[in-house]
Amino acid sequence: MRKPCIAANWKMYKTMGETEAFLKAFIPAVSSVGDVDIVVAPPFTSLYTASQLLKGTNIKLSAQNVYYEAEGAYTGEVSTKMILDIGCTHVIIGHSERRQYFGETDEILNKKAKAAKAAGLSVIFCIGESLEERNTGKTFDIIKREIEGGLKDIDSDNLVIAYEPIWAIGTGITATPEQAQEAHAYVRDMLRNLYANKADEIRILYGGSIKPENIKEIMSKPDVDGGLVGGASLKADSFEKIVKFNK
Ligand code: 13P
């Protein structure tokens, strides 16, 4: 059985003070949750604040991005060693916003995922098609390309996949549970090609307009093993309800 994983991606939201206020409310609210892995991904500038507050709790810390070189003259970048040092156990790689706005290609993302895995970080690797790609019947081609390119020569240990259809991100349009399951089943098949039986241990999260009202239905699908939550993870009570979807 795959343990559900619910992760908050705060994107470019929350100062240190806002991070502290959120976590001071959220940590006690979910301290008794043992059947779900909880991950929070604040922006880089809030990681230290979060890491201090999360010590000894059941909540894991993730970065939203990382660079693949170990160190050097790469102005503005942050290494795997730095995010480990600050207390991260996870890193999100390949979010569609990184692909779209920052030109990250499958090749770059593959290098990032390799560096992160080599450093011992759990990688939340994001994939997903645009509306145009879906409407022109290319969904599975895109998923295939992103998995084959992004996960080339990467083993399955500590690997989490997040299927986030771009048309569902921040739009209020959630994929139906059936659409999510269809894509996740396709991802699972691809993972079987790459990792054989180990594919059944890999969590595939769904992301895109998850809310307290729709998480339970999405989670009821057999290949949906969790969620990567943007907007609805920014308020402690809303994210608490999502984490407690099965209560
Ligand atoms: P929303 O939940 O705001 O749609 O964002 C999803 C997402 O991009 C999480 O990484």
Side-chain angles (χ1 to χ4, degrees):
M1 262 306 277
R2 295 178 291 267
K3 186 177 181 184
C5 173
I6 305 276
N9 174 11
W10 286 353
K11 310 191 179 186
M12 200 172 74
Y13 292 100
K14 291 200 192 293
T15 60
M16 289 190 286
E18 289 162 349
T19 297
E20 186 177 343
F22 176 104
L23 291 176
K24 283 195 166 156
F26 184 68
I27 291 168
V30 299
S31 62
S32 62
V33 174
D35 53 356
V36 173
D37 283 337
I38 308 170
V39 181
V40 175
F44 283 129
T45 47
S46 282
L47 286 177
Y48 185 73
T49 303
S51 127
Q52 295 302 304
L53 290 162
L54 293 181
K55 274 191 188 137
T57 72
N58 56 338
I59 304 165
K60 302 260 174 31
L61 187 62
S62 177
Q64 298 175 17
N65 182 27
V66 74
Y67 195 51
Y68 52 77
E69 293 291 353
E71 61 182 6
Y74 303 104
T75 302
E77 293 297 323
V78 170
S79 71
T80 54
K81 191 173 161 191
M82 291 165 183
I83 62 172
L84 278 169
D85 187 42
I86 213 165
C88 292
T89 50
H90 290 63
V91 60
I92 298 172
I93 291 179
H95 194 282
S96 59
E97 288 148 17
R98 300 291 322 166
R99 296 175 188 262
Q100 217 177 328
Y101 305 136
F102 304 99
E104 297 195 359
T105 61
D106 294 324
E107 200 187 347
I108 292 171
L109 297 170
N110 181 243
K111 285 187 187 172
K112 291 189 170 196
K114 269 190 193 141
K117 295 274 275 76
L121 288 156
S122 295
V123 169
I124 302 176
F125 194 85
C126 305
I127 56 171
E129 80 288 357
S130 68
L131 186 60
E132 196 205 332
E133 287 158 350
R134 173 161 285 262
N135 287 342
T136 49
K138 296 196 189 117
T139 299
F140 294 148
D141 293 343
I142 297 296
I143 292 175
K144 186 166 190 284
R145 195 209 73 214
E146 289 180 342
I147 289 185
E148 283 178 352
L151 299 182
K152 192 165 180 288
D153 301 327
I154 281 177
D155 67 50
S156 64
D157 296 341
N158 300 322
L159 178 66
V160 177
I161 307 292
Y163 169 66
E164 300 204 306
I166 297 169
W167 47 272
I169 296 178
T171 57
I173 304 166
T174 320
T176 63
E178 291 68 33
Q179 283 172 322
Q181 171 56 28
E182 184 189 38
H184 284 222
Y186 181 79
V187 173
R188 184 87 57 206
D189 272 351
M190 287 222 55
L191 295 175
R192 278 204 187 96
N193 292 337
L194 291 174
Y195 304 120
N197 289 344
K198 283 194 170 173
D200 289 314
E201 293 161 23
I202 301 175
R203 272 131 3 140
I204 308 175
L205 317 185
Y206 166 79
S209 297
I210 289 179
K211 303 179 207 69
E213 297 77 41
N214 59 26
I215 181 72
K216 194 170 180 156
E217 208 189 352
I218 291 172
M219 287 300 293
S220 70
K221 294 294 176 189
D223 285 297
V224 178
D225 309 312
L228 183 54
V229 190
S233 75
L234 292 169
K235 293 228 163 71
D237 59 344
S238 157
F239 192 50
E240 176 194 344
K241 284 186 194 131
I242 293 172
V243 164
K244 293 182 178 167
F245 71 92
N246 55 3
K247 296 279 181 292

